[in-house]
Amino acid sequence: MPLTRVKICGLSTPETVKAAIDAGADYLGFNFFLRSPRYVTPTLAAELVRLVPPNVLNVALAVDADNATWDAIVVAAKPDILQLHGNESPARLTELKARFGLPLMKAIPVSGPEDLDKMALYQDCADLLLFDAKPPKSMANALPGGNGLRFDWSLLAGQKPDTPWMLSGGLDTDNVAEAIRVTGTEMVDASSGVEDAPGVKNPALIASFIRAARST
C-alpha cells in the first residue's frame, strides 16, 4: 500500500512551514478565512510559499470567498489547490474552475450518515473531497473547520467515493492510525491536532503526527 499522504493546515510562520516540509508533509494549507486564528494575509502567504519546494503542494483555504478575494489569494499565494470550506455550491465550483483552472478541494462537514449524500453533488466539479467534522449548532462561534472535533469515522467505512478524498477533523498523533484503519483513507489533514493553542503550531507535534500517519 502507498504511504499515507499528509496535509498540515493552518500554517502561518516560516518556522512551522519549514518544520512541515522537513517532516515530509505532502500538502501545506494556508488559511484565508478572516475569523480563523490561523488566518494569514495574502502578503504573508506570499512570503511563506516561497519556502515551499515544488514537490509539496500549496493549498489555499477560504470560506465562501468572493471573486475579488480569490483573485488576491491566487496572485499572492500561487496555490496548487483551492480549498473551499464553506457552503459553496457545485455551480460555484464550476465557476472557480473556469476562472482559475486550478484543482478544487471541497470540504464536506459530517455529523451523520445523511451528510455523506453531498458526495454526489460535487463528484463532477471537485477534484478532491475533504470530510471534516460538522460543529454542533450548540457550539457558539464555531469555525467551519479546525475546531478539534471528530466525527464517527465508521460512517466512512466501506465508502468508495468516485472522487479522491481526505480525512480531517480532530486528528492527532494518538488517533490518526485508528482513523486510517477505520476509514481506509489514504490522505489525512491535521490543524488543531498539531498545535499548542489555536493557531500556534508545534513543530514536534507536526513531525510526530506525520510519523504516526505513515506508520500504518
Side-chain angles (χ1 to χ4, degrees), residues 35-165:
R35 198 160 58 83
S36 172
R38 304 167 186 93
Y39 171 74
V40 293
T41 64
T43 300
L44 175 56
E47 297 175 6
L48 297 176
V49 299
R50 293 191 187 102
L51 305 172
V52 183
N55 63 311
V56 178
L57 296 181
N58 159 17
V59 182
L61 180 161
V63 178
D64 297 316
D66 59 20
N67 286 344
T69 300
W70 275 121
D71 287 345
I73 292 169
V74 170
V75 168
K78 298 178 175 56
D80 298 298
I81 301 173
L82 305 184
Q83 179 176 335
L84 311 177
H85 218 100
N87 296 309
E88 298 90 355
S89 67
R92 178 58 173 156
L93 268 68
T94 299
E95 179 185 356
L96 290 170
K97 174 79 79 169
R99 188 177 186 87
F100 299 114
L102 291 169
L104 304 179
M105 178 189 302
K106 179 67 184 83
I108 296 180
V110 179
S111 63
E114 66 281 359
D115 295 313
L116 298 182
D117 293 341
K118 295 178 182 177
M119 286 190 293
L121 295 176
Y122 296 100
Q123 65 181 6
D124 294 328
C125 54
D127 300 280
L128 187 63
L129 300 177
L130 177 74
F131 295 106
D132 199 357
K134 179 190 290 186
K137 294 180 180 179
S138 59
M139 188 174 181
N141 299 315
L143 298 170
N147 296 297
L149 302 175
R150 53 180 280 186
F151 62 93
D152 180 0
W153 297 324
S154 68
L155 294 172
L156 289 172
Q159 294 284 343
K160 301 291 183 183
D162 293 332
T163 305
W165 60 279

